[in-house]
Amino acid sequence: MNNNDIQADVVVVGGGLAGFACALQAAQDGADVILLEKLGEIGGSSAMSGGCLAFAGTDLQKAASIEDSSELLYADLIEVGKHENDPALVRAYVDHQLETYDWLKQAGVEFSPVMETSSGQSVPRVHTVDPADTVRALAGRAKDTGKVRLLLNTSALRLIRDAHGTVVGVSAEREGNTFTASGKHGVVLASGGFCKNPELVHRYAPQYDDAVFIGGEGNVGDGLKMALLIGADCRDMIYIKGTYGKHPTDETNHHSLLAVYKGAIAVNQDGKRYVDESISYKLLGDACITQPYGATFQIFDHPIMQSGDNAVRILDIERRLEEGLVIQADTIEALAEQIEVPAHVLIDTVNTYNGYVDAGHDPDFGRAHLVHQHGELVRIETGPFYAYPSTAAVYGTYCGLCVDAAMHVLDVYGDVIPGLYAAGEMVGGLHGAAYMTGSALGKAAIFGRIAARSATRI
C-alpha cells in the first residue's frame, strides 16, 4: 500500500455544484468524504453558468402569486424533452426538488426574489443565484462539518474495482505522485461533461465542430471515459446542442441573452424569420447553427428591451445595451442597414409578424407564446429598435452515463455497477431531446444529494 493512499466512506470526483452537494449531504448524514478536484479552484462549469435553477412550488413563487406544482414541472420536463427523457429520472428530480431548494437555502445559498420564465417553462420558475457563490457556500458548509477532505490539483485517473467487480476507489495523481483514494461505500462521479474536448464533441455532435464552447477547463470527459472503460452505458449523446443567444464576439459575458423569450423575433442574414422563437433555446441553437454563417439576430423594440431583467443573466438586455453589444436604430430600415440585411425584407418580416400577433396565429412557424406555454405575443413597433447578434454556444453536453433513480451507474446490460454513482452533468437521461432552463444546475444539486444518500445507504 502506498504511503500516500487515503481512505474515506465516499470518494467524490469533481468540485462543482454536484460534487459539493454530494459531499455536504454525505457529511451531514455522517459519512467521511474525500473530494478530488483536478483544477486549482472549485466551481467548474457550475460557477460559469447563468445561475438558474428550476424549482416548483417555492415560497418565492407563492410570494409572487405564481401557481406552480411538481406535476406541472414534471409535465414540462417531459414535454420539452420530447418524451426522450427517462421518466424515472424526471420523477426523481421532481420528487426531490422542493426539499433541495429548502436545503440549499439552509446551506446559505441566496436566491433572487425575481421570478422569470424561460426555456421549457409554462410558468415563471427561474430561481436565480450567483453560481460561484452557491458552490462556495456549499463548500464552506462541507468544510465546517469536519468530514470532507478537499484535494485540489488532484486528477482522478482510473476507477478501481475489487475481485467482485465493485468500485472501491480511484487511482489519482497529485503533484506528480500517484495514489489511491478508497471509498468504503464507493465513488460518485461528478466531474462534468466534455464541452472542452473537441475530439469527443466531434464524435457525438460534429455539427457543432465550429461552435463556441464555454465551460470549465476541466470538462474534458475524464469521468465519462473512466466509467465507459469498465462497461458503463451512456445515453442522449445525439442530443448535444448549443444554446442560442451567445454574442459571437463578446468575451465578457459567458452566458446567452434570450430577448426572444420577452417577445423578440430571430432573423437570419437575409432578414427572415426561420424558427418558432418560443421553443427551448437548445432547439433554437440547432436552428441557428444551420443558418448562413451560423449566426442570426434577435430583433426587438423599446418595450421589449425594457421588459428585460438585469438580475437574471439570460434576460439582462439593458446591461448588454450599456456594454455596446446591442445595435440600436430609430427605425427598422436604419437597423437593417446597420446589421447589413436587406431593409425591405426586414421591414416586411416585422410587419408580417405583427400581423400574426394581431391575428393570434403564426402560420409560418406556429409561435403561440413568448416562451413554451407562457406569455402573450407582443408587436414590435415602438422605436428605438434593436438587434442582438446571436449564435449557438455549447455550454454543456447534457448527456452522459445511464443511471437509475438512485444514481447507480448502469452497465450496457442495464445492470448496476456496484459502488459507482454519478451526479450532475455526468448523468444522461434527464433532459432528453431539449432542455428546460435551470434543470442542469437543478439536477446537479438534486442528483448530488440523491447519490450521496444512495452511496451511504441512508
Side-chain angles (χ1 to χ4, degrees), residues 48-125:
M48 300 175 64
S49 73
C52 301
L53 296 101
F55 296 123
T58 67
D59 54 356
L60 290 177
Q61 287 179 310
K62 292 174 183 176
S65 300
I66 298 166
E67 293 187 12
D68 200 2
S69 67
S70 292
E71 289 311 307
L72 181 57
L73 173 59
Y74 180 89
D76 282 349
L77 284 167
I78 293 293
E79 182 180 355
V80 75
K82 296 187 177 295
H83 297 266
E84 291 292 327
N85 19 23
D86 180 348
L89 288 189
V90 178
R91 179 55 61 189
Y93 183 105
V94 167
D95 287 349
H96 294 276
Q97 55 92 20
L98 197 52
E99 69 180 58
T100 297
Y101 166 72
D102 291 332
W103 180 84
L104 288 168
K105 290 202 301 178
Q106 292 167 9
V109 176
E110 296 183 3
F111 288 86
S112 166
V114 177
M115 288 285 104
E116 290 285 0
T117 315
S118 191
S119 174
Q121 300 177 359
S122 293
V123 297
R125 65 168 69 102

Side-chain angles (χ1 to χ4, degrees), residues 179-223:
F179 64 95
T180 296
S182 299
K184 179 181 178 182
H185 296 299
V187 174
V188 179
L189 295 175
S191 52
F194 51 90
C195 67
K196 287 294 187 177
N197 186 326
E199 179 184 345
L200 281 181
V201 170
H202 177 75
R203 180 184 304 176
Y204 297 116
Q207 70 272 27
Y208 281 106
D209 279 349
D210 298 323
V212 176
F213 290 86
I214 299 172
E217 290 301 318
N219 279 32
V220 295
D222 317 63

Side-chain angles (χ1 to χ4, degrees), residues 11 30 68 70 81 136 138 200 232 266 271 294 346 354 367 369 403 414 452 454:
V11 176
D68 200 2
S70 292
R136 283 192 286 264
L138 297 191
L200 281 181
L346 185 60
N354 286 340
R367 186 178 191 180
H369 299 282
V403 299
S454 297

Side-chain angles (χ1 to χ4, degrees), residues 1-6 179:
M1 185 174 181
N2 189 323
N3 290 333
N4 294 322
D5 291 348
I6 53 179
F179 64 95

Side-chain angles (χ1 to χ4, degrees), residues 35-42 150-154 174:
L35 194 154
L36 310 179
E37 168 53 54
K38 73 177 181 180
L39 300 181
E41 59 183 5
I42 62 173
L150 170 63
L151 297 180
L152 296 174
N153 297 303
T154 304
R174 188 171 191 246

